[in-house]
Amino acid sequence: MANGTEREAGGTDVDVVVVGAGFAGMYLLHRLRQLGMSTRVLEAGDDVGGTWYWNRYPGARCDIETLDYSYSFDPELEREWQWSEKFAPQPEILRYAQHVADKYHLRRDITFGTRVEGARWDDQASRWHVRTRPVSGGAGEEIVARHVVMATGCLSVPKEIDVPGADRFRGEVYLTGRWPHEPVDFTGKRVAVIGTGSSAIQSIPVIAEDAAQVTVFQRTPNFSIPANNGPVPERKRALIEADRAAYRESARWSGSGVPYERSMVSALSVPDEERLATYEMAWERGGISEFLGTYSDHLTNPAANELLADFVRGKIRSIVHDPEVAEALCPTTYPIGTKRLCVDTNYYATYNLPHVRLVDLRKHPITTVTERGVDLVDESLEFDVIVFATGFDAMTGAVVGVDITGRDGLTLREAWQHGPMTYLGLMVESFPNLFLVTGPGSPSVLSNMIVSIEQHVDWIVDCFVHLRDEGSETIEPTHTAVEAWVKHTNEFADLTLMPRANSWYMGANVPGKPRVFLPYPGGVDGYRRACNEVVERGYLGFVRRGPAGERCNDGIIRRLAPDVGVMLHMMSELGLPALETLSPPEVRAFTEAMAAQRPPGPDVGEIVDGRYPGAAGELDYRLYRPASPGPHPVIVYFHGGGWVFGSATSDDPLCRDLCVRTGAIVMSMDYRHAPEAPFPAAADDAVAALRWVADHAGELGGTDGEAVAVAGWSAGGNLAAVAAQVARDAGGPAVSAQLLLTPVTDGAVTHASHEENADGYVLTAALMRWFWDHYAPPEQRSDPLASPLRAERLDGLPPAVVVTCEFDPLRDEGDAYAAALERAGVTVHHLRVPGHVHSSLTAVDALPTGAPFRAEMADALRSFMGAAVTA
Ligand code: N01
C-alpha cells in the first residue's frame, strides 16, 4: 500500500523517487516535471537546500565565487537573483535555494522530515521498493518507483566523532555539519574547536569575535588562501551579463566548472621573481582553481608543487606573529592541493589574538574528553563549549547509508566494500535504474558542484527520455564498462599527486574506509566529453532491457591511457594540418617546429655530434654517452619519420632516455630521406652506419670487438630490422640485440590494425600510405630491404625487443614480426603496450604512463646486449 491506494501488481506509485532536496534534487524535480514524469522527492531536512540547510555554522560560505556557484538552466532565474557578495554566506545561499523552490513550486512534490531507509530492486517487476521513515518517528511508507536517483550530496553525512570520551562532555556540543537553527551565543565562553578543515577555518575567526577563549585542536594543518571577500566584483558581473549563455557554456567546458585561462607553463620553467609575482597576484585575487592553476604542473610535479606550498607557508609565517604557532600551522606532510584548499577570512591572523590558542595534537595528543573539557597527555583544559569540525564520510557515506539491495540480493554496501564501483559516477552494475548525482567516479567535489549537478541531471533526464522512446524499462552498466571506468579513474589519479594525501578524497579520514581516490580527476570538460560520447555511441557500456528484448552495448569508453587521451585531445583542438596534405619540405619544417616544444629528456654524460660515411656520402650522427665511466655497450639508433623527415637529433629525448636507462652509448645515425633519395637509400645508409659504428666502437667509447645493438623507432625500427638481417647475411658485423619500437615491417599495409586504428591516433593509415608512396614504389615494397617481415628466413637473428602499441596502425605488422622471429627460433621480448599510440612512447617526460614501458624495453635490451649473435 502506498498513500493509502491499492497498487496493481507491477504498477508504480511514481516514475521516479529522488532522495534529497539539495541543489541536485531540486533541479532534477524541475526537469522531471517538464517531462511529465511523476516524481517524489524525499528529504530528511525540513526544507530545501541540502548542504546549505545543514551547514549553518558561523562563517559558513561558499568557497567558489557565488556568481559561478548558481544554476544556469533558466536565464530568467539568473537575471532576477542578485548575489550580495563575491563569496555569499550560507544564509543567502539557503535563501537562493528557497527562492528556487518557490519560483518553480517545488515543495509540493517534496516530502520533508523523511528519511529514506532502504530501497529494494524487484527484478520480476523491474521496480524499486523504497522504504521511508519520518525523522520525528512513527511509521513510514513504501513507495514503488521505476527509477531511484540518489541526490544525496557528497558531504552530507558527518563522520562519526572518534575523539575518545566525546560523549562525556557536559557543556554545549556542536557539530559544524549539523548546526542548530537557533543562533549560538559564544559571548564570554571558553570554546574548544576540534579539527582544522574548511569548516573550522571558516568558523574559528567568527567564533573568536565573541568567545572569551578559543582553543583550536589541530591534528593536521591545512593550506588556506584568503577569500578577499567583498561585494560581487563588477567586472565579473559585467562579463557574465554581456553574454550569459557564452559564459555558462565556457564553464561547462572548463576543467573545474569555473572558466579561467589554464596555464600551459611549468612552474619550474620561469624565473623566481616572475613566479613569485604570479603567486602574489593569485593570492590577492583568490579562487581555488585559479590559485592551483597558476602553473600547469602544481598537481602533477612534486618540485613544482613544493614551490607553491612554500609560498603559502611563507605567507603563514608572515601573518602569524608567534613563530612556533606559525610553524605548527604550516602543512608539510602532503602536497598543496591534494587536500581541498581552504578559503578563509582572517584565519591565520586570528592566532595573533591573545585569547586564541593552537594545540598541536601531534605533540600533545588528546587522551580523553572529560565532563568539563579535554585532557591532553600533559594538560587538562576546561571549556564551556566544544565544536566538532571533524568532517564527513564523503561521497559514499550518504549512498551506502541507505540500505540499497539490487539484483540477486546484492547490497550496495557489499558491492562497494573495496571502494565504490561505478560507471561514470552515475550508475552501478546490478543496480538497474539506480542513478547517482555527482557520485564517486565523477568530477563532483573537484569541480563547481552546481555545474556538475546540472550536467548529471541533464544526462539522467535525457536517459529517461531515451529509455521511454525506445521502449526500454531498465538500464544498467556492464561489468566491463564499470571495471574500465574505475581503472581509468585510478590511472588518472595516479598521474597526479592526489593519492599522496590522507584526504577525504581518498576516504582516508574515516577509519576502515577503503583507500580509493573517489572523484574523477580528468576535468569537467573531459568528463562531459566522455558522458556525451557514451550517448552518441548508443549508450556504450550499458545494457537496456524491455518488452522488446535486451540491448547490450558492451564496451569501454576510455581505452587510451589518460595522458595520451589528453594529448590527443589537445592536438585535435589545435587543428593541426594532416601531414599527408603537405609537401615533404613542409612536413620537415612542421615536425621540427613541433619538436622544439617538447621536454628535452634526461641529462646524459656527454653529447657529441659528428659525421660518418654513409652509403653515398657523409651523414650526421649524434652520440649520447652515459655519465658512468666507460667503456660502454653501443646501440646504433635510427630515428623515425617515415623515411621522409627527421634527423640524427630529431629523437633526442628518446635517445637520452635510452642512454640513461641502458647505460649504453646511443649513436643516433642520420640516413638519406625520400623522396629525394628513395628506397633503398635509407636501408643502404643504415647498413653503412652499422658497419662504421662496429668498426669504430672502441674509439667511440665502446669495447673494441664487442657486438653492437641496433635500435629504431617506426621507419627507424624498419631500418634497424633490415640492418640486422643484412649483417646476418653478410657474416657481420656482429649484432648483439635489436630494439624495434613500433616498427614498419610490411609494405603490404593489409594488417587489420591499419583499418582499426586508421584515424585519430597521430599516425594515420593515410599518412602511412603517403610515407610508402614517397619511399618505395609498390613493386619494390615486398623486398626484404623494405619489408623485413617478407624475408625468406628470420633465423639466426639477434634477440629482439619488439614494442607494439594498442592504438597504432602498425601494431599488427609489429606483432607479426615478433611472432615470425619467435617461430624462427629468435629470442623475443614482445612488449604490447596498452592504451598507447604509435608515437607516445617517444614523448619522454610528457606522457608519464609511457615511462614504465620504456623502462621495461630498456631492461630487456640491456639483458640481451652482450650476447653477440653471428650468422
Ligand atoms: O572537514 P575536513 P570539513 N581528532 O575533513 C580533523 C567542504 N566544505 O568539514 O586532517 C582530531 O576537511 C581533521 O584532521 P586530519 C570542503 O570541500 C566546503 O572542514 O584528519 N582531529 C581535519 O582537520 C571541505 O574540504 C566549505 O588530521 C580530527 C578536520 O577534523 C569539506 O567540506 C566549507 C579528528 C576535518 O576536516 C570538508 O570540510 C566547509 C579526530 N578524531 C566545508 N577527526 C565551503 O566553503 C577529524 N579531525 C563551500
Side-chain angles (χ1 to χ4, degrees):
M1 294 269 270
N3 295 334
T5 51
E6 196 74 30
R7 189 186 304 125
E8 286 169 38
T12 56
D13 296 323
V14 285
D15 293 322
V16 188
V17 159
V18 177
V19 188
F23 280 85
M26 287 197 297
Y27 177 46
L28 185 56
L29 173 58
H30 175 64
R31 290 289 326 265
L32 292 174
R33 275 204 193 141
Q34 289 173 329
L35 265 192
M37 291 181 84
S38 58
T39 307
R40 286 276 304 272
V41 181
L42 302 157
E43 166 59 52
D46 287 332
D47 200 0
V48 296
T51 281
W52 301 103
Y53 173 88
W54 298 106
N55 286 271
R56 296 161 182 257
Y57 60 82
R61 22 179 111 245
C62 203
D63 61 1
I64 288 189
E65 286 190 40
T66 338
L67 279 180
D68 292 301
Y69 189 89
S70 33
Y71 285 126
S72 72
F73 66 84
D74 183 352
E76 186 185 289
L77 170 65
E78 289 198 65
R79 273 195 303 274
E80 72 194 15
W81 185 267
Q82 296 293 328
W83 293 104
S84 67
E85 291 177 55
K86 184 174 159 194
F87 297 103
Q90 174 270 335
E92 188 175 349
I93 303 175
L94 184 58
R95 276 202 304 281
Y96 173 70
Q98 290 163 341
H99 169 75
V100 171
D102 291 341
K103 182 176 172 69
Y104 303 101
H105 313 289
L106 298 179
R107 288 192 183 83
R108 67 167 191 256
D109 288 322
I110 305 175
T111 310
F112 292 104
T114 299
R115 205 171 278 289
V116 172
E117 282 199 329
R120 184 179 51 79
W121 175 249
D122 175 351
D123 211 27
Q124 287 292 314
S126 296
R127 297 287 185 270
W128 281 102
H129 292 250
V130 179
R131 281 190 331 273
T132 73
R133 184 165 303 281
V135 173
S136 56
E141 54 177 324
E142 185 179 285
I143 307 168
V144 178
R146 187 182 294 261
H147 301 284
V148 171
V149 185
M150 303 296 286
T152 36
C154 294
L155 295 154
S156 43
V157 174
K159 188 184 90 146
E160 227 169 84
I161 295 175
D162 54 0
V163 183
D167 51 356
R168 289 171 59 192
F169 185 63
R170 291 284 151 79
E172 296 168 55
V173 176
Y174 301 103
L175 188 59
T176 47
R178 287 286 177 271
W179 203 260
H181 289 207
E182 317 68 57
V184 175
D185 185 7
F186 292 103
T187 311
K189 291 180 183 160
R190 297 164 302 171
V191 182
V193 179
I194 299 184
T196 48
S198 289
S199 304
I201 281 175
Q202 288 185 335
S203 55
I204 288 164
V206 183
I207 295 173
E209 284 173 14
D210 298 330
Q213 274 177 28
V214 177
T215 306
V216 178
F217 293 87
Q218 172 188 273
R219 193 164 62 182
T220 314
N222 252 301
F223 289 100
S224 186
I225 62 170
N228 294 324
N229 199 19
V232 169
E234 255 331 297
R235 232 169 55 96
K236 182 150 186 173
R237 196 197 293 276
L239 173 78
I240 296 177
E241 283 174 4
D243 191 344
R244 211 179 278 283
Y247 185 85
R248 295 302 193 187
E249 193 59 9
S250 65
R252 292 182 192 113
W253 291 102
S254 65
S256 66
V258 177
Y260 75 98
E261 188 88 17
R262 269 183 274 189
S263 170
M264 302 297 277
V265 178
S266 161
L268 304 168
S269 70
V270 291
D272 288 353
E273 309 88 77
E274 183 185 327
R275 194 179 52 249
L276 286 173
T278 306
Y279 287 167
E280 282 292 350
M281 258 165 45
W283 179 266
E284 287 308 315
R285 188 188 54 215
I288 296 176
S289 308
E290 295 89 326
F291 189 73
L292 293 171
T294 40
Y295 291 103
S296 62
D297 47 358
H298 285 140
L299 292 179
T300 50
N301 183 324
N305 186 282
E306 190 56 17
L307 293 170
L308 187 65
D310 229 22
F311 172 81
V312 177
R313 287 191 287 259
K315 286 289 182 191
I316 297 171
R317 291 183 190 113
S318 74
I319 299 168
V320 179
H321 299 158
D322 182 331
E324 212 176 308
V325 176
E327 253 1 89
L329 286 167
C330 285
T332 53
T333 53
Y334 58 92
I336 186 168
T338 57
K339 286 185 172 207
R340 186 172 174 104
L341 198 59
C342 303
V343 176
D344 73 273
T345 299
N346 294 332
Y347 174 63
Y348 293 118
T350 298
Y351 290 96
N352 295 331
L353 299 173
H355 64 295
V356 177
R357 176 182 171 193
L358 181 72
V359 172
D360 183 348
L361 294 178
R362 305 267 167 183
K363 290 189 180 151
H364 312 276
I366 294 175
T367 48
T368 184
V369 175
T370 65
E371 283 77 7
R372 300 164 70 89
V374 174
D375 278 1
L376 304 174
V377 280
D378 47 3
E379 198 179 351
S380 272
L381 300 167
E382 292 197 356
F383 298 106
D384 304 306
V385 181
I386 299 182
V387 174
F388 289 97
T390 42
F392 298 89
D393 184 353
M395 297 205 73
T396 56
V399 182
V400 296
V402 177
D403 179 19
I404 302 177
T405 307
R407 186 175 313 101
D408 301 326
L410 180 70
T411 66
L412 194 65
R413 270 176 223 145
E414 286 161 357
W416 285 10
Q417 60 183 314
H418 302 301
M421 300 287 293
T422 74
Y423 185 34
L424 304 167
L426 274 165
M427 293 201 81
V428 186
E429 185 194 358
S430 298
F431 294 81
N433 293 6
L434 175 76
F435 294 81
L436 312 169
V437 180
T438 63
S442 74
S444 62
V445 293
L446 295 179
S447 70
N448 176 352
M449 285 300 284
I450 306 281
V451 170
S452 288
I453 283 171
E454 287 190 336
Q455 187 242 340
H456 263 191
V457 167
D458 291 343
W459 194 97
I460 291 168
V461 168
D462 289 349
C463 177
F464 289 162
V465 172
H466 183 83
L467 295 177
R468 192 175 64 184
D469 291 352
E470 73 173 12
S472 290
E473 294 226 305
T474 69
I475 181 166
E476 73 178 285
T478 67
H479 184 71
T480 314
V482 172
E483 285 224 312
W485 185 256
V486 171
K487 180 167 168 278
H488 172 66
T489 302
N490 288 331
E491 281 174 357
F492 235 129
D494 288 343
L495 291 176
T496 73
L497 304 173
M498 291 289 191
R500 297 192 185 192
N502 290 324
S503 63
W504 58 258
Y505 293 145
M506 294 293 300
N509 64 328
V510 175
K513 193 165 170 173
R515 196 185 163 88
V516 179
F517 192 73
L518 296 169
Y520 177 73
V524 164
D525 46 354
Y527 174 77
R528 184 182 292 269
R529 262 195 308 281
C531 290
N532 290 356
E533 231 178 282
V534 162
V535 174
E536 283 153 19
R537 293 171 67 183
Y539 283 86
L540 183 68
F542 284 105
V543 52
R544 287 112 63 204
R545 297 186 181 90
E550 179 177 302
R551 291 181 174 88
C552 180
N553 185 8
D554 203 3
I556 295 173
I557 189 63
R558 286 288 173 260
R559 296 167 63 203
L560 287 163
D563 47 354
V564 176
V566 169
M567 174 197 75
L568 292 185
H569 176 70
M570 281 165 61
M571 288 177 73
S572 75
E573 293 281 280
L574 291 174
L576 304 173
L579 293 188
E580 67 274 17
T581 62
L582 307 178
S583 67
E586 286 169 337
V587 169
R588 288 169 194 151
F590 176 80
T591 49
E592 255 178 54
M594 292 293 284
Q597 320 260 338
R598 66 195 169 177
D603 285 338
V604 296
E606 186 186 25
I607 288 183
V608 182
D609 290 332
R611 306 270 289 166
Y612 80 98
E618 282 213 329
L619 291 164
D620 291 334
Y621 72 77
R622 172 167 279 191
L623 176 153
Y624 301 83
R625 196 187 311 286
S628 56
H632 300 100
V634 178
I635 300 168
V636 184
Y637 176 84
F638 302 105
H639 66 79
W643 308 284
V644 173
F645 67 89
S647 69
T649 61
S650 61
D651 293 359
D652 203 68
L654 180 67
C655 290
R656 288 165 178 268
D657 193 72
L658 194 60
C659 171
V660 169
R661 289 182 191 277
T662 56
I665 291 171
V666 175
M667 297 289 299
S668 175
M669 315 302 285
D670 206 359
Y671 48 87
R672 282 167 295 157
H673 292 144
E676 296 85 345
F679 175 80
D684 290 346
D685 286 338
V687 171
L690 170 60
R691 289 221 171 89
W692 183 81
V693 173
D695 288 349
H696 295 81
E699 295 155 44
L700 294 166
T703 311
D704 247 339
E706 199 172 281
V708 299
V710 291
W713 165 53
S714 190
N718 167 277
L719 297 177
V722 166
Q725 289 189 11
V726 171
R728 174 201 59 185
D729 296 342
V735 177
S736 59
Q738 45 183 336
L739 164 62
L740 312 177
L741 173 55
T742 58
V744 186
T745 70
D746 188 4
V749 290
T750 49
H751 300 267
S753 55
H754 279 275
E755 197 154 319
E756 197 184 302
N757 300 323
D759 219 355
Y761 304 118
V762 187
L763 176 65
T764 62
L767 180 58
M768 197 57 228
R769 280 195 298 275
W770 186 86
F771 285 143
W772 273 114
D773 289 346
H774 282 94
Y775 184 50
E779 64 279 9
Q780 290 184 351
R781 291 181 196 169
S782 54
D783 187 322
L785 289 182
S787 295
L789 183 64
R790 304 274 154 187
E792 255 174 44
R793 42 179 288 255
L794 293 173
D795 59 304
L797 287 169
V801 183
V802 182
V803 184
T804 54
C805 288
E806 188 179 2
F807 297 99
D808 181 358
L810 304 185
R811 180 195 64 208
D812 291 354
E813 63 189 73
D815 286 348
Y817 196 60
L821 287 174
E822 267 183 325
R823 278 197 303 277
V826 175
T827 305
V828 175
H829 185 103
H830 186 182
L831 175 55
R832 289 185 171 92
V833 181
H836 274 256
V837 299
H838 180 71
S839 52
S840 50
L841 287 197
T842 68
V844 176
D845 292 338
L847 297 176
T849 57
F853 300 107
R854 279 197 307 279
E856 182 177 337
M857 152 184 126
D859 284 352
L861 181 63
R862 205 178 42 204
S863 77
F864 286 159
M865 283 189 301
V869 177
T870 49

